[in-house]
Amino acid sequence: MRIASDRTQFGTFEVRRGVHPADGGIVRLVNSCGVGFALELLLTGNPVTAQRAYTANMVNAVVPHDELLDEVQKVVDSILRCDQAAIESAKETVLEIIGRPLHDQLRVEAMWGYALCGGNPTVMKRSQEFFDRVDRGRADSTPTPL
């Protein structure tokens, strides 16, 4: 997850020096932003604004520079309020399915998901809190703080 200040610029400047990324940068750029955007950055060596990076899926959000740390803290708080075993499992699942065919992605997701439910002692407690409408961070008629 990436949050950028509205003052941020992004680019790959290696071509200006006669080389190109060879450490996975091209692969990650193509996979997250698409071929056209990747080629633009890689072939021109020109920077793009944070807003342009947002439209290309390079960042998740662009916020005013002075609000960057507060926004990052909100995201961190949202992650920390969740069950950490579930967070770890979801993250591992995402990383594990990258580049796999759909049928394999679905298999991996089910494996990780069912394994988590069977081994996570907080699933029943947190599910009941949801049904009772007292789970942390609820945004409807009974909001509770993060």
Side-chain angles (χ1 to χ4, degrees):
M1 296 175 53
R2 298 165 300 274
I3 301 172
S5 156
D6 57 0
R7 296 183 191 171
T8 305
Q9 292 189 340
F10 296 90
T12 60
F13 308 109
E14 292 88 346
V15 294
R16 293 181 185 178
R17 291 155 189 88
V19 297
H20 69 70
D23 59 356
I26 291 175
V27 172
R28 288 178 178 87
L29 190 58
V30 169
N31 288 339
S32 60
C33 301
V35 173
F37 187 77
L39 284 171
E40 177 184 342
L41 290 182
L42 292 163
L43 301 183
T44 67
N46 292 332
V48 295
T49 65
Q51 191 58 45
R52 182 79 198 290
Y54 174 75
T55 63
N57 295 322
M58 183 181 267
V59 297
N60 299 84
V62 177
V63 298
H65 182 74
D66 295 337
E67 297 172 22
L68 180 61
L69 292 179
D70 290 338
E71 186 62 29
V72 169
Q73 189 61 55
K74 285 180 193 175
V75 172
V76 169
D77 290 344
S78 292
I79 293 169
L80 291 176
R81 80 169 186 221
C82 299
D83 180 77
Q84 293 307 292
I87 293 291
E88 183 179 336
S89 180
K91 182 179 175 185
E92 288 297 322
T93 300
V94 168
L95 296 176
E96 186 69 27
I97 66 172
I98 294 171
R100 293 177 182 251
L102 177 61
H103 70 277
D104 205 23
Q105 290 175 328
L106 294 169
R107 181 186 60 76
V108 169
E109 178 186 18
M111 251 179 18
W112 279 90
Y114 291 129
L116 172 69
C117 290
N120 188 340
T122 64
V123 170
M124 291 302 294
K125 176 183 174 279
R126 285 177 176 259
S127 294
Q128 192 59 52
E129 288 172 351
F130 171 77
F131 294 131
D132 294 342
R133 297 179 176 260
V134 294
D135 48 320
R136 293 187 329 170
R138 179 170 282 276
D140 68 356
S141 61
T142 58
T144 57
L146 294 175

